[in-house]
Amino acid sequence: MPTNASTTGNNGPWDAKLQQFHGGQDWAHLDNFVEDFSVTTNAFGMPESAKLAAIQSVEHGHHYPPADQEPAKSSLARFLWPDEFKTEVDRLILGNGASELIDLVIRMAPQGTWKPGPFNTQYKEYERSARNNDYELLPSDSIDKTNVACLVNPCNPTGDYLDLPELKQWISDNVLPGGYVLIDESMQPWHSPQFREHSLTTQREYVEDLYKSQGISVFVMHSWTKLWCCTGLRLGSVVCPTADHMRAIKKIQVPWSVNTVALAFLNAVVTDDVYLEKTWKMTPEWRQQTIDRLGKMFPDWEFHGRSFLSWIWVDTKSEQVAEKAVGLAKEAGVPVRSGRPGYNLPTFVRLAVREPAKVDVLINAWKAI
């Protein structure tokens, strides 16, 4: 049955009754747009070499994309596992953003209960999919083990992060035998040049042992649209526990879900080492500079999240102040993400790490708070 468009309410283009709210929509409706602080994308924008490859690929838009996602899939495998990519690529599959793969994996998962990570909130696509697939939703602080667990690590928006020993312990404490675990590491590559050493993607022996001993299937999810600032292209991947799990996803995935332009972008971007080096160097510096500036203006505000992250989760301590901060930022052409819609944390706002000149605009807008 058609749904009346009025259900969008105050969520802009989002249908509040049917869709999960997400940042990144305000920019298109602002005549004075300067910068989008509402999304957690890379401050350096799209890498130029990959952007050029994507533009050039339009020349092949009259052909279907490759059904095996190659050579982009193998190129991503080489990025994730520089030395072992040939033995790991069969566990990898690409998707139309992480959102498609989240939904496919949860549809494959055993029925029963679903549980989020241990933080006070997290990225909501996992919950949306679980709800749509009729799981019983457990709260994050439930002591019960669950059939399906989904943990965002680092956690967007809260900035919490579990190191590998903590992450493995959480899985052990929270997942039933035969269960599924979805670990979202979309923001984990910001960690450092050594990010792979801290990633679950490199823990193949642990993942295999867990599957053989308890039947627990661990999936590592990535949205690549944040690290490489290409949200409009829709690029995601999942590292499966086995090649059989990957084939099970492929069986129910619609063909050609990743288009030619996105595949060309991915194939090129994974080789741009200069882009990543400046990301690892400047993101923590700009993040701390922004915190220092805001801390002087608003000494009561609290700033959350690890130093390497591409955003700052801010508790203003006041619903009225947070609402005013969101409104002023939007009026100045620098929208931020309110903690109210989706996260139900109305004293919080989330702002992306951006270059100082763009932060100046936001700071000036917030002088009126």
Side-chain angles (χ1 to χ4, degrees):
M1 179 182 296
T3 302
N4 192 296
S6 65
T7 57
T8 57
N10 293 322
N11 286 333
W14 296 102
D15 188 320
K17 291 186 177 181
L18 300 177
Q19 294 177 300
Q20 176 60 53
F21 182 83
H22 197 289
Q25 296 290 309
D26 288 336
W27 71 272
H29 309 284
L30 299 177
D31 292 335
N32 63 337
F33 176 71
V34 177
E35 178 62 88
D36 195 350
F37 283 80
S38 74
V39 292
T40 56
T41 51
N42 197 312
F44 288 104
M46 293 180 75
E48 288 299 323
S49 60
K51 183 193 297 186
L52 179 61
I55 292 170
Q56 291 174 339
S57 74
V58 175
E59 292 293 331
H60 304 290
H62 58 297
H63 296 296
Y64 282 103
D68 60 0
Q69 305 176 333
E70 295 292 358
K73 188 173 83 165
S74 288
S75 295
L76 179 60
R78 192 177 286 108
F79 172 79
L80 290 171
W81 306 282
D83 298 324
E84 298 89 15
F85 72 93
K86 289 183 178 179
T87 59
E88 301 286 4
V89 67
D90 286 344
R91 296 195 294 134
L92 180 68
I93 191 168
L94 309 180
N96 188 270
S99 297
E100 180 199 21
L101 297 168
I102 290 166
D103 198 60
L104 290 174
V105 174
I106 289 181
R107 277 197 266 156
M108 286 170 38
Q111 285 296 308
T113 57
W114 174 91
K115 188 177 186 179
F119 316 120
N120 66 346
T121 192
Q122 67 177 30
Y123 176 60
K124 290 293 183 177
E125 274 301 303
Y126 293 91
E127 181 179 328
R128 180 202 64 81
S129 184
R131 193 183 302 277
N132 286 347
N133 285 281
D134 298 322
Y135 283 86
E136 177 188 349
L137 306 186
L138 301 179
S140 61
D141 59 357
S142 171
I143 62 172
D144 295 330
K145 290 191 174 185
T146 186
N147 300 103
V148 180
C150 299
L151 188 155
V152 182
N153 194 50
C155 182
N156 192 351
T158 68
D160 293 293
Y161 181 63
L162 300 183
D163 293 316
L164 283 175
E166 299 173 295
L167 181 58
K168 292 176 181 180
Q169 187 62 53
W170 186 85
I171 293 171
S172 177
D173 292 341
N174 288 279
V175 184
L176 290 166
Y180 269 34
V181 186
L182 286 72
I183 303 298
D184 190 318
E185 290 194 353
S186 297
M187 318 309 289
Q188 197 274 338
W190 260 280
H191 183 284
S192 66
Q194 294 76 40
F195 76 92
R196 297 173 185 86
E197 300 171 17
H198 302 271
S199 169
L200 203 56
T201 58
T202 61
Q203 301 295 301
R204 178 168 184 162
E205 184 176 347
Y206 160 77
V207 170
E208 287 182 342
D209 288 347
L210 195 61
Y211 182 62
K212 290 176 181 177
S213 63
Q214 300 185 51
I216 294 175
S217 301
V218 177
F219 298 82
V220 184
M221 322 294 297
H222 284 96
S223 168
W224 296 110
T225 62
K226 312 303 187 301
L227 180 65
W228 289 310
C229 199
C230 59
T231 50
L233 295 186
R234 314 309 308 135
L235 270 173
S237 68
V238 56
V239 179
C240 302
T242 68
D244 285 341
H245 287 81
M246 186 279 293
R247 286 188 283 269
I249 294 174
K250 182 184 286 189
K251 183 177 180 179
I252 62 174
Q253 183 181 42
V254 297
W256 310 297
S257 71
V258 186
N259 64 47
T260 297
V261 175
L263 289 172
F265 179 93
L266 179 61
N267 192 53
V269 79
V270 292
T271 64
D272 195 335
D273 296 333
V274 173
Y275 181 88
L276 289 179
E277 289 295 336
K278 66 182 180 181
T279 296
W280 290 319
K281 181 179 187 297
M282 297 309 302
T283 302
E285 292 184 21
W286 286 348
R287 189 179 192 278
Q288 190 57 52
Q289 288 174 16
T290 304
I291 290 173
D292 291 343
R293 296 178 69 182
L294 290 175
K296 290 179 180 178
M297 292 178 65
F298 308 105
D300 294 335
W301 288 12
E302 290 184 356
F303 306 95
H304 299 269
R306 291 289 188 99
S307 62
F308 61 83
L309 294 175
S310 64
W311 75 93
I312 308 166
W313 184 233
V314 184
D315 187 358
T316 70
K317 305 295 185 177
S318 165
E319 292 186 28
Q320 292 74 28
V321 169
E323 185 174 355
K324 189 170 185 179
V326 171
L328 288 170
K330 186 174 180 179
E331 289 174 8
V334 284
V336 299
R337 170 68 155 94
S338 169
R340 184 186 294 276
Y343 299 133
N344 298 315
L345 293 170
T347 69
F348 283 81
V349 295
R350 188 190 69 196
L351 57 142
V353 172
R354 294 293 184 254
E355 64 177 291
K358 302 292 180 61
V359 176
D360 288 345
V361 181
L362 181 63
I363 292 288
N364 287 332
W366 280 356
K367 287 178 180 179
I369 294 177

